[in-house]
Amino acid sequence: METLSPDSGSMDSDIYRTLGLEELRKGVLRSPRVLMLLSSLLDRSVQKNEMLLETTQIKDVVTIFHGLRPPTVSIRNYVDRIFKYSACSPSCFVVAHIYMDRFLQQTDIHLTALNVHRLLITSVMIAAKFVDDAFFNNAYYAKVGGVSTEELNRLEMKFLFSIDFRLQVNVNTFGKHCYQLEKESAGGLQIERPIQACRIKESWSSKDDSTACSSTIAR
């Protein structure tokens, strides 16, 4: 895989710095700007798609990524939680966005409040495995995401097969998505409408929290 590091001296280094992608150290406390922009972009996409589904006769495809009801945590808080506890590099969120785009293009699924959280935790986990030198296992990511390990394992396999295991991301594609995220900053203020997501607590116990997210409709 071509290096996605902003230290490569490419012409995109300025936008990498603006998005906070130079914060590659594990355990970084400051929230990189890319998290806010990605959250805003996904939130706007969700609202657009839900309006489309409400005003047309289009039937959304139900998959294992769909919950029975929307979660209560906002996309922004969910993204922040993943970043805080997974300690993955900020670049993983750009790569995860690329993977989500590939998944949606390969399927007839619309990004909605019922599936965005599961798609997020799955794509970020896969991106961390592919991009970062060190990463946590599925059981840890399941606790971070508020789902059971068994469910996350199923989500990962479904996601990978849906994109035909196309995990390679070249520098041009990475840069294109960085510019897309940067353009989001000119698209309006961050939308803070909670979309009802998984009931994830700031800290968790050693008990199985498989009920943190509403059950999926399809298995």
Side-chain angles (χ1 to χ4, degrees):
M1 179 178 182
E2 296 181 65
T3 177
L4 300 180
S5 170
D7 299 326
S8 59
S10 70
M11 61 184 297
D12 297 321
S13 58
D14 287 343
I15 196 168
Y16 289 163
R17 190 180 307 109
T18 300
L19 293 176
L21 301 184
E22 290 187 335
E23 301 287 354
L24 298 178
R25 301 181 306 278
K26 296 294 182 181
V28 172
L29 295 178
R30 187 173 60 183
S31 177
R33 187 162 172 264
V34 65
L35 303 186
M36 180 271 289
L37 296 178
L38 175 61
S39 302
S40 177
L41 181 61
L42 294 177
D43 213 344
R44 289 158 70 92
S45 296
V46 164
Q47 293 196 39
K48 178 180 178 180
N49 288 332
E50 291 184 341
M51 184 175 297
L52 174 68
L53 293 172
E54 288 177 3
T55 57
T56 66
Q57 300 299 317
I58 297 176
K59 295 289 186 180
D60 195 19
V61 177
V62 178
T63 70
I64 63 173
F65 292 94
H66 286 70
L68 290 172
R69 57 186 177 276
T72 54
V73 64
S74 68
I75 292 177
R76 176 62 193 276
N77 288 341
Y78 196 63
V79 168
D80 284 345
R81 176 180 172 83
I82 294 174
F83 178 73
K84 177 179 179 180
Y85 290 110
S86 71
C88 63
S89 63
S91 295
C92 286
F93 289 86
V94 179
V95 175
H97 183 226
I98 294 171
Y99 290 167
M100 288 178 70
D101 272 0
R102 290 176 179 177
F103 177 86
L104 295 172
Q105 289 171 8
Q106 290 293 113
T107 63
D108 294 323
I109 299 172
H110 292 82
L111 192 67
T112 69
L114 294 176
N115 60 33
V116 63
H117 293 77
R118 284 179 173 84
L119 285 171
L120 260 173
I121 190 63
T122 306
S123 60
V124 172
M125 181 184 71
I126 293 173
K129 291 181 179 182
F130 194 71
V131 173
D132 288 349
D133 295 328
F135 50 84
F136 291 105
N137 60 24
N138 287 25
Y140 183 86
Y141 269 97
K143 283 195 173 291
V144 172
V147 296
S148 69
T149 303
E150 293 75 15
E151 180 178 7
L152 187 57
N153 290 341
R154 291 195 298 270
L155 295 175
E156 180 183 28
M157 293 308 298
K158 178 63 176 179
F159 193 99
L160 289 171
F161 276 101
S162 295
I163 65 172
D164 296 324
F165 289 83
R166 291 189 303 117
L167 301 179
Q168 189 81 8
V169 176
N170 61 41
V171 173
N172 288 336
T173 299
F174 186 82
K176 177 183 177 181
H177 279 259
C178 285
Y179 278 106
Q180 181 184 357
L181 289 169
E182 180 59 30
K183 285 174 59 179
E184 178 64 17
S185 64
L189 297 175
Q190 167 75 4
I191 301 173
E192 293 294 345
R193 178 181 66 89
I195 40 183
Q196 315 267 312
C198 313
R199 292 185 175 85
I200 304 173
K201 298 178 180 178
E202 182 64 15
S203 60
W204 58 85
S205 68
S206 58
K207 296 180 180 179
D208 186 357
D209 58 357
S210 59
T211 58
C213 276
S214 55
S215 301
T216 50
I217 294 176
R219 294 291 179 182

